[in-house]
Amino acid sequence: MTQKTGCQNECMGGGCSGETGKQMTESFKASDLIITPATTFKEKPDPTGLVFGTVFTDNMLTIEWSLASGWEKPYIKPLENLSLHPASSALHYAIELFEGMKAYRGVDGKIRLFRPALNMDRMARSARRTTLPSFDQNELLECIRKLVEVEQEWVPYSTSASLYIRPTLIGTEPSLGVKKPTKALLYVILSPVGPYFASGSFNPISLWADPKYVRAWKGGTGDCKVGGNYGSALYAQQEALEFGCQQVLWLYGEDHQITEVGTMNLFLYWINEDGENELATPPLDGIILPGVTRQSILDLARNWGEFKVSERYITMSDLTAALEENRVKEMFGAGTACVVCPISKILYKGKHLHVPTMENGPELTTRFLNKLSDIQYGREDSDWAVLVS
């Protein structure tokens, strides 16, 4: 599909002296994919010894965009270093975004993606927020499916490992001007990842909660998957480690609202103020990342209909009161990397708060893990699973 575009220049006011009528491609097409795969192959690693995101497959997907020409044809080619102008806008002004998803080799040998359309939706929203070019989500998903198909032997033959997929979109504008980029690069790299928990079982984590650092704020980019959200969190993460905690429990506002845990969404299973069994998670108000695992847990819980399911605000005073009154059952993080991650301790205002997640099974946390894993690895049929091959 092509569309007429107006001036390529950054015109101000009412006048315009630039050219009009340039042709540009609105979206790339998977049918135009040019595949020139690697001819030399790396050895496949043992999935039990993998460190997250350190080993990469033989090939990558790249698609270039410019304001003048629109999207070029997509390529699958050998993994290689990028060649960027030193003034590229992604390097200076963080005009970039990424996604995180996985391919799983099922017990039947088939390879599946898990709810990939949700990742494509989120990537498109992140692109709008960072003024990067739009694209047809279905076409990108089909290009990714083809890449995974080419690299199918890299999908671990294991139900405790998977192939991590990292779609990335960066501004490559060769200018130090702070402006919407006129050039961009979309690429996808793949990395086999082993079990999140090295022991193969749940290891509960401890959290450091201090309101002096915030992950996101109203009107910001907390609901987008952009690198700036992660790089700026590292300083607080280092401080958490110095206090003997593994992750940061991100707080927001004067009332110390609980928002996220590390890079995960947060869930609390408790008896609420009204005496009801409730699974609660903070609402999508602009500072929470709309996680695919988060949405899946909410969908499952609502479908079960066994307890109240709420997207609501929870403050540290709500949590501390509930802990004192023995109303907290389980607390866990949720995300693509670990699926679910139980929480056992929180350091807040100099006090160690014990969360009885493990004493309670953790029954619900384990149930979510098992249910989602069964779908991802093909032990249970679901329309959430999209077959690659």
Side-chain angles (χ1 to χ4, degrees):
M1 185 190 296
T2 59
Q3 66 175 19
K4 295 282 185 179
T5 63
C7 178
Q8 309 301 310
N9 303 326
E10 298 285 326
C11 300
M12 303 297 285
C16 177
S17 59
E19 291 184 298
T20 59
K22 293 273 187 184
Q23 290 282 320
M24 75 173 261
T25 306
E26 200 172 280
S27 185
F28 49 84
K29 300 288 184 188
S31 58
D32 293 332
L33 189 59
I34 297 166
I35 303 176
T36 54
T39 53
T40 57
F41 307 104
K42 290 176 281 196
E43 188 178 344
K44 311 294 186 295
D46 178 351
T48 59
L50 289 168
V51 177
F52 181 85
T54 57
V55 176
F56 297 93
T57 68
D58 298 307
N59 295 283
M60 67 192 297
L61 170 73
T62 64
I63 319 169
E64 293 191 30
W65 175 89
S66 69
L67 183 60
S69 306
W71 287 104
E72 305 293 339
K73 289 182 178 179
Y75 282 84
I76 289 175
K77 60 184 183 181
L79 182 78
E80 61 183 10
N81 292 340
L82 302 180
S83 178
L84 296 175
H85 191 282
S88 291
S89 51
L91 303 178
H92 295 267
Y93 307 124
I95 301 175
E96 61 81 55
L97 60 96
F98 66 95
E99 265 304 323
M101 48 201 289
K102 287 179 176 179
Y104 307 85
R105 189 178 299 277
V107 292
D108 55 0
K110 294 178 180 176
I111 297 169
R112 293 170 174 82
L113 305 176
F114 182 73
R115 306 190 81 175
L118 294 182
N119 294 96
M120 296 298 98
D121 285 344
R122 187 170 64 185
M123 188 169 178
R125 290 196 303 271
S126 296
R128 282 195 296 275
R129 185 64 175 83
T130 50
T131 72
L132 285 162
S134 61
F135 53 88
D136 186 302
Q137 297 169 39
N138 292 325
E139 296 294 338
L140 177 55
L141 184 53
E142 179 59 17
C143 289
I144 290 172
R145 195 191 68 77
K146 289 277 191 185
L147 177 63
V148 174
E149 204 171 58
V150 167
E151 300 288 59
Q152 59 186 292
E153 284 307 306
W154 280 92
V155 183
Y157 285 81
S158 167
T159 53
S160 60
S162 55
L163 184 67
Y164 186 79
I165 303 168
R166 173 55 67 90
T168 310
L169 180 54
I170 63 172
T172 54
E173 174 78 24
S175 164
L176 295 179
V178 183
K179 60 181 179 177
K180 181 177 177 177
T182 62
K183 290 186 176 181
L185 173 66
L186 195 164
Y187 64 91
V188 182
I189 53 178
L190 309 175
S191 174
V193 293
Y196 189 80
F197 299 108
S199 66
S201 62
F202 274 145
N203 288 323
I205 59 170
S206 56
L207 308 180
W208 178 66
D210 192 312
K212 71 178 176 178
Y213 302 119
V214 293
R215 189 196 80 90
W217 50 90
K218 297 287 175 69
T221 58
D223 58 348
C224 298
K225 208 161 176 68
V226 297
N229 293 347
Y230 294 78
S232 60
L234 293 176
Y235 191 79
Q237 172 63 24
Q238 286 302 115
E239 197 157 330
L241 293 172
E242 288 169 13
F243 279 101
C245 299
Q246 290 150 293
Q247 295 282 353
V248 178
L249 178 57
W250 297 102
L251 306 179
Y252 181 77
E254 295 299 315
D255 54 353
H256 297 180
Q257 292 168 25
I258 295 169
T259 62
E260 294 194 4
V261 46
T263 60
M264 298 178 284
N265 292 121
L266 181 131
F267 284 87
L268 175 65
Y269 183 48
W270 67 340
I271 299 169
N272 68 15
E273 304 90 339
D274 299 321
E276 304 163 300
N277 284 343
E278 179 183 54
L279 179 69
T281 192
L284 299 181
D285 62 354
I287 67 170
I288 302 294
L289 187 73
V292 175
T293 308
R294 175 190 181 277
Q295 188 59 51
S296 302
I297 286 170
L298 290 171
D299 291 343
L300 286 174
R302 285 171 177 147
N303 187 52
W304 293 339
E306 297 169 19
F307 43 79
K308 186 175 183 179
V309 181
S310 302
E311 294 174 75
R312 54 162 286 182
Y313 294 106
I314 307 159
T315 65
M316 280 305 296
S317 59
D318 294 333
L319 178 62
T320 51
L323 286 169
E324 286 167 8
E325 295 163 16
N326 296 317
R327 291 190 283 110
V328 174
K329 297 183 176 186
E330 299 176 41
M331 193 173 181
F332 58 92
T336 297
C338 68
V339 186
V340 290
C341 180
I343 295 161
S344 60
K345 289 178 189 171
I346 301 170
L347 176 58
Y348 176 63
K349 292 185 175 178
K351 290 184 179 179
H352 288 274
L353 306 176
H354 177 71
V355 184
T357 305
M358 302 310 286
E359 290 89 323
N360 287 310
E363 190 177 324
L364 188 62
T365 311
T366 304
R367 187 178 172 188
F368 283 126
L369 175 64
N370 292 341
K371 182 73 171 178
L372 292 170
S373 297
D374 284 349
I375 293 169
Q376 290 161 349
Y377 290 101
R379 289 184 288 260
E380 182 178 322
D381 285 333
S382 170
D383 56 8
W384 288 355
V386 176
L387 283 175
V388 171
S389 63

